[in-house]
Amino acid sequence: MPVPPPLPDLILDPIVRLALTEDLGRAGDLTTDATIAPGTEMRATINARKPGILAGMDAAAYALKLVDPSVSLEVAIHDAGKLSPGAAIATLSGPARSILIAERTMLNFLGRLSGIATLTGAFVEKVAGSNATIVCTRKTTPGHRAVEKRAVRCGGGTSHRYGLDDAISIKDNHIAACGSISEALKRAHAYAGHLRMIEIEVDTLAQLEEALPHKPHAVLLDNMDNETLRKAVAMIDGACKAEASGGVNLDTVAGIAETGVDYISVGALTHSASNLDVGLDVA
C-alpha cells in the first residue's frame, strides 16, 4: 500500500485550527505567558515512547505552522514509518513560547493518529498472504474523518466509504424501509450514475441469493460465521466484491481472511484505537 501524501492545507486548516482554539481558549497560554520570557529560544525533540507506526505529522506540522511559521521543524521519521521506543521523530528549534503553545496539539494529533495506524498495521499483518484488504468505516471521531482515514492508510489499510456521498451502501434499515432487497437494488440502479458503486448488506445466504441477480458491485456479508462466509464467496464466484463485517478483531481476522473475502471492514480501527505514547523533550 503506497504511503499517502499529506492532506491539503485546505482540509487540515479547520481541523487543526479548531484544536488550537480549543486549547488556547479565551486568554491564550497562561503558563507560558507567566514563565517564559519573550526572546527565549528552545530546541526540543518529539520522541516515540512505544513501538508503532507514525501518522499525523502533516497535522502536527500544520499546527506548528499556524502557531509560528518561524519555528524550524526537522522531520526524521515520516508518516507510515516504523517507531521504536526512544526514536526521535522530529526536532523543533525556535522561540520557546511558540513551541510550548503548539506542543500539546501536535502531540494529540500524533498520538491519536499513530494509534490508529499502529492498530491498522496489526490487522494488516494478521491477513498477510491472503487476498483480503483491511478497510475502515465511517465510525470516526466527528470532524476528524479525513485525518483518521489517512492514518488507516499509513498503517497499510484503506477506506470503505468516506461519507454518505461517495457510494450507495444499502443497509438493513434501508431494505426494511424499502420493502425488499430486490426493490432496493432496482431503485439504486435506476438512481445511480455509471460511476456510482452499489453495495448491499446481507445477513443470510438466502438474502445473498436474492441480491446477486441484480448485480451489485459489492456485497457486505454481515456477521456471518466463517463457514457461511466460505459458502457466500462460492456463491458470488467473482460476480462482485465480497466484504466481511462484524465480529472482527485481531483474534478472528485471519480466519475471516482465509474464507476468500476481498475486504474486511473493521470499525475498531478508528473507534477503539489506543493513543500511541509520544512526547516532547527539551534537547
Side-chain angles (χ1 to χ4, degrees), residues 52-54 77-83 154:
I53 299 173
L54 184 68
I77 301 175
H78 295 273
D79 283 344
K82 296 292 181 66
L83 299 175
C154 287

Side-chain angles (χ1 to χ4, degrees), residues 171-185:
K171 301 293 190 73
D172 53 354
N173 288 335
H174 298 101
I175 295 166
C178 192
S180 71
I181 286 173
S182 296
E183 183 61 25
L185 283 169

Side-chain angles (χ1 to χ4, degrees), residues 4-82:
L7 289 170
D9 288 355
L10 188 65
I11 293 175
L12 286 173
D13 187 84
I15 299 170
V16 176
R17 197 175 290 271
L18 179 63
L20 286 168
T21 302
E22 179 180 59
D23 210 21
L24 289 166
R26 297 170 297 171
D29 183 348
L30 298 183
T31 309
T32 295
D33 289 348
T35 62
I36 308 299
T40 303
E41 295 288 306
M42 176 184 284
R43 187 171 186 273
T45 58
I46 297 174
N47 300 308
R49 293 174 177 162
K50 297 284 185 180
I53 299 173
L54 184 68
M57 183 54 71
D58 56 349
Y62 194 74
L64 185 63
K65 175 182 174 181
L66 286 179
V67 170
D68 186 349
S70 76
V71 179
S72 170
L73 177 66
E74 298 178 15
V75 178
I77 301 175
H78 295 273
D79 283 344
K82 296 292 181 66

Side-chain angles (χ1 to χ4, degrees), residues 44-50 54 57 76-77 83-92 107 110 276-283:
T45 58
I46 297 174
N47 300 308
R49 293 174 177 162
K50 297 284 185 180
L54 184 68
M57 183 54 71
I77 301 175
L83 299 175
S84 57
I89 298 168
T91 301
L92 294 75
L107 295 180
L110 289 171
L276 191 74
D277 192 5
V278 295
L280 185 139
D281 303 300
V282 177

Side-chain angles (χ1 to χ4, degrees), residues 34-259:
T35 62
I36 308 299
T40 303
E41 295 288 306
M42 176 184 284
R43 187 171 186 273
T45 58
I46 297 174
N47 300 308
R49 293 174 177 162
K50 297 284 185 180
I53 299 173
L54 184 68
M57 183 54 71
D58 56 349
Y62 194 74
L64 185 63
K65 175 182 174 181
L66 286 179
V67 170
D68 186 349
S70 76
V71 179
S72 170
L73 177 66
E74 298 178 15
V75 178
I77 301 175
H78 295 273
D79 283 344
K82 296 292 181 66
L83 299 175
S84 57
I89 298 168
T91 301
L92 294 75
S93 303
R97 292 168 59 86
S98 300
I99 292 173
L100 292 170
I101 289 170
E103 173 186 359
R104 177 41 53 196
T105 299
M106 294 179 72
L107 295 180
N108 282 350
F109 279 116
L110 289 171
R112 167 66 178 157
L113 299 176
S114 296
I116 290 172
T118 300
L119 182 58
T120 302
F123 274 93
V124 169
E125 185 176 348
K126 288 285 188 179
V127 303
S130 74
N131 292 322
T133 297
I134 299 296
V135 301
C136 61
T137 70
R138 289 166 45 237
K139 296 175 182 178
T140 52
T141 306
H144 283 220
R145 183 167 296 170
V147 293
E148 291 184 351
K149 281 184 173 284
R150 181 180 178 275
V152 168
R153 293 176 64 197
C154 287
T158 189
S159 180
H160 181 257
R161 285 189 294 170
Y162 270 75
L164 295 172
D165 60 343
D166 59 350
I168 295 174
S169 183
I170 304 168
K171 301 293 190 73
D172 53 354
N173 288 335
H174 298 101
I175 295 166
C178 192
S180 71
I181 286 173
S182 296
E183 183 61 25
L185 283 169
K186 287 176 184 176
R187 293 181 186 182
H189 278 296
Y191 180 86
H194 67 289
L195 295 180
R196 291 289 186 194
M197 295 287 290
I198 299 172
E199 182 178 66
I200 184 86
E201 176 184 305
V202 300
D203 301 322
T204 66
L205 296 180
Q207 289 179 331
L208 177 61
E209 187 174 21
E210 181 183 355
L212 286 175
H214 298 282
K215 298 183 178 179
H217 300 106
V219 175
L220 181 67
L221 307 168
D222 191 45
N223 282 298
M224 293 183 176
D225 59 41
N226 289 356
E227 183 58 32
T228 306
L229 284 173
R230 289 189 186 90
K231 292 178 181 178
V233 170
M235 287 174 62
I236 293 169
D237 194 25
C240 64
K241 296 296 183 182
E243 178 178 353
S245 178
V248 183
N249 56 52
L250 287 171
D251 294 326
T252 62
V253 70
I256 293 170
E258 290 171 357
T259 66

